[in-house]
Amino acid sequence: MHLLPGPVRRLAAWCVVALLVSGVGWVVVELCAVLRTAVVPVLLALLGTALLGPLYRRLVQAGIPRSPAAVVTCVAVVAVVGGAVYIVVAALMDSGDQIIESVRHAAQSVARHFGAAGTSLDDLAAHSKELLTKFGGTAASNVISGVSVVGETIAMAVLALLLVFFFLRDSHRAAPLLRSLAPRGSGDTVEAMARRAFEAVEGFMRGTTVIALIDAVCITVGLLILRVPGAVGLGALVFVGAYIPYLGAFLSGALAILVAFADRGFVIALWAFGVVLAVQLLEGHVLQPLIQSRTVRMHPAAVLLAITAGASVAGILGMLLAVPLTAAAFGVAHELRGRYAEGDGGPASGAGPRGGADTGGHPGP
């Protein structure tokens, strides 16, 4: 090695570090995939705890003991999530036929305007019964496997809810636990990193929920004014899709425009496009800076890469979890940069978290 020039040795050292980090990351991803029934509830519970933390802390500050406060919070989240799911499902059931019919008309319109491609669409529709018959056995086996998937999903949801309860109730013990596990002399740094990561996730979840609600209401009102069929169901899709930044808004908005074009024509589709575009501009230039100004701001390219990586690892669930986990990583990176920018920890080394009003001073769940 001493025969090599200095720059080559440094490059080789960095290559070794990159390989080690990549190898460790790959092992972690594989372990998470194998243990997904345990890992997924933990991640969902962390997101739920980040979203419900302010409510729990206010209950504790009001004098309610920790365990009853955690129970009340979990009951509240079950009521809210259950109500939201009911509203979304009911809206989609009421307007789902309209949306499907509009999409079908749009496909037929495309078939009329694009010769060969249209013939392919017509052929696919004509032979759909044959295709369903051919793959009927596969569909039946998928139904059986789907039942097990549903059971597994319900079990993970129940486990996640129980973990939310324990994370909330025992949140005040997180800081001492982290300090006891941290190497000697690094307790302050580990605690600050955990606080910053949790604050980033908390801010992301809270801000995304508010922005998703505003987007859904605005787009639903616009589509109702334009008398687009299935406006409530499309608004529900906008709310759900908002948790996948950029991509979810694009897909749900495109579907709304397609339905408007199929049912009301080109002019109404242009108006629907204007509504969607106006809401997206409102989100990007007003809501995002105003609501999430105190959280970690990520470049759109980083968000899209995170979503793509999450989708390749865990599908839709990976897309939902990728951005908050990336926000936590950005929060840790910002904390480390602030602490070690001056070489000796700087003024940030003794600073407490911005969320210092938290009862018990916990860095997270």
Side-chain angles (χ1 to χ4, degrees), residues 140-237:
S141 63
N142 288 338
V143 168
I144 297 176
S145 62
V147 173
S148 63
V149 170
V150 171
E152 180 180 299
T153 302
I154 294 175
M156 289 193 296
V158 173
L159 178 57
L161 183 62
L162 293 175
L163 289 176
V164 168
F165 168 77
F166 289 118
F167 286 171
L168 290 172
R169 188 194 67 177
D170 300 330
S171 56
H172 61 291
R173 301 177 183 174
L177 178 62
L178 286 175
R179 287 181 172 274
S180 65
L181 296 177
R184 182 176 302 177
S186 62
D188 291 339
T189 302
V190 172
E191 180 182 351
M193 290 166 54
R195 287 184 184 277
R196 191 64 176 268
F198 190 74
E199 286 175 4
V201 176
E202 187 177 52
F204 171 82
M205 291 297 298
R206 185 168 59 246
T208 301
T209 301
V210 174
I211 292 172
L213 182 61
I214 295 175
D215 286 355
V217 170
C218 292
I219 290 181
T220 301
V221 171
L223 295 179
L224 286 174
I225 294 175
L226 296 174
R227 291 184 296 173
V228 175
V232 177
L234 292 170
L237 290 178

Side-chain angles (χ1 to χ4, degrees), residues 79-96:
V80 172
V81 172
V85 170
Y86 173 79
I87 293 173
V88 171
V89 172
L92 291 178
M93 289 180 64
D94 292 338
S95 57

